[in-house]
Amino acid sequence: GVTSHKILGMWKFNDQTIIASDTNLGLKYYTTSSGGITLSGSSAWAGAVGQEMRAFVFQGYLLTMVSVASAFGNSGLADKFNGSAWSAFGYTGILGSVNGGCTYRNRAYLVEAALIIPSGAYYYYSGIQAVSGALTSVNMVGVLEDFAHIVILGALTIGDSVNSINLFVIITAPGEVLFYSGAYPDSSDWKLEGRAKISPIICATPISYNGDLLVLANDGLYSMRSLFVTGSDKISNLTLTSPIQDMWVTLAGGAISPSFGTMGVFWAAKSRIVITFPSYIDEDGATQAGNSFFV
């Protein structure tokens, strides 16, 4: 009975490709294999989602999430997949809805959706190795220099395999970056290791690349590892050549929040990073709807 699709996310998991599609019959999940595409699950949501979905792997599950703005207020969807069956997310204690997160030292970390405007800028973390149960909230008001929504949480490795340290990264929509180390936010060894500033974020899903996080910002692509080691006053977007940066800034269009359709991925088979924008620059220098790819 499905007659329309809007692809909201695609992820690799357990040698499968998982596709999330907003259809006229609600949100549907599909898996792909050599035998084709198979419907593997459905969400309870029956209305148009219209938002890019996020996902990450934790404790053998693919956790998927999307925030939804509707006539009934701000809500969200969250599901988990073990490779064969879908089930409810299982976490409780979230003020609004979540749309993104990461794993760090055997805990799941979730970021509250930017559609929600609570009294603070929150993120949440689970119990160790827990895929359900109550989450602990962390309010970043008073820590952030500029009050803004958190849009990216990530984990980062600095150093070699012998003397490496793991960092937890928090990034807000305007580009404030915080680096933490320690077991978890309420532990005695939790420590703010540094802070930096980049331009506003245009994609809320960073690119994982050899233990690094690459973040798509208004004026270019930023390595969080280089940012931590070098500092924001010196890194100055070292990952793009001048002609590409000029085109990038034009396509970004001065966005101050993540935009639908701007995304990137590390193409491991070709050892390339591929980034797409939902627009292109025509021969007259005007921006048109379509696609531009940077490799």
Side-chain angles (χ1 to χ4, degrees):
V2 172
T3 60
S4 65
H5 287 276
K6 181 178 182 181
I7 305 302
L8 303 181
M10 300 177 69
W11 312 281
K12 290 291 290 184
F13 179 68
N14 287 0
D15 296 324
Q16 303 176 86
T17 298
I18 313 300
I19 302 172
S21 179
D22 183 18
T23 78
N24 59 300
L25 296 181
L27 184 67
K28 303 289 185 182
Y29 292 108
Y30 297 86
T31 58
T32 69
S33 65
S34 58
I37 299 177
T38 303
L39 176 65
S40 61
S42 300
S43 173
W45 180 255
V49 176
Q51 296 285 326
E52 182 183 344
M53 296 187 70
R54 321 275 180 225
F56 63 94
V57 177
F58 178 62
Q59 293 298 306
Y61 286 92
L62 178 72
L63 306 182
T64 66
M65 60 217 77
V66 62
S67 58
V68 180
S70 71
F72 304 101
N74 294 310
S75 58
L77 300 170
D79 302 295
K80 64 178 186 282
F81 183 58
N82 63 5
S84 60
W86 290 89
S87 57
F89 209 47
Y91 292 123
T92 60
I94 302 172
L95 284 178
S97 64
V98 296
N99 192 17
C102 70
T103 63
Y104 177 73
R105 295 200 170 186
N106 296 313
R107 297 175 190 266
Y109 286 78
L110 302 171
V111 59
E112 193 159 53
L115 291 172
I116 307 299
I117 305 177
S119 59
Y122 290 89
Y123 69 90
Y124 302 82
Y125 65 92
S126 72
I128 191 164
Q129 298 182 340
V131 295
S132 62
L135 296 170
T136 301
S137 65
V138 181
N139 191 339
M140 294 300 291
V141 171
V143 180
L144 296 172
E145 292 183 349
D146 299 314
F147 175 77
H149 286 294
I150 299 168
V151 294
I152 295 175
L153 300 177
L156 179 67
T157 302
I158 304 291
D160 57 36
S161 59
V162 176
N163 297 309
S164 63
I165 61 172
N166 296 319
L167 296 175
F168 180 68
V169 185
I170 300 172
I171 307 174
T172 68
E176 185 174 354
V177 184
L178 303 179
F179 298 95
Y180 282 90
S181 67
Y184 61 97
D186 291 322
S187 66
S188 59
D189 63 346
W190 192 249
K191 178 183 178 183
L192 178 62
E193 295 284 356
R195 61 172 76 227
K197 184 70 170 68
I198 58 177
S199 63
I201 308 304
I202 59 173
C203 176
T205 303
I207 302 170
S208 296
Y209 174 69
N210 293 337
D212 195 0
L213 290 177
L214 305 181
V215 174
L216 283 71
N218 182 259
D219 66 353
L221 185 66
Y222 284 87
S223 159
M224 293 299 99
R225 179 183 291 153
S226 296
L227 185 66
F228 178 77
V229 173
T230 309
S232 54
D233 59 331
K234 297 178 182 177
I235 184 173
S236 187
N237 184 37
L238 301 178
T239 54
L240 301 182
T241 59
S242 295
I244 294 297
Q245 186 175 10
D246 292 343
M247 184 180 295
W248 181 295
V249 171
T250 301
L251 292 172
I256 59 171
S257 62
S259 59
F260 187 83
T262 301
M263 62 191 75
V265 67
F266 174 54
W267 189 4
K270 300 292 185 180
S271 191
R272 294 287 187 269
I273 294 166
V274 181
I275 294 168
T276 178
F277 282 84
S279 57
Y280 70 95
I281 301 172
D282 65 19
E283 294 179 353
D284 298 323
T287 302
Q288 305 287 351
N291 287 100
S292 294
F293 291 92
F294 298 104
V295 181

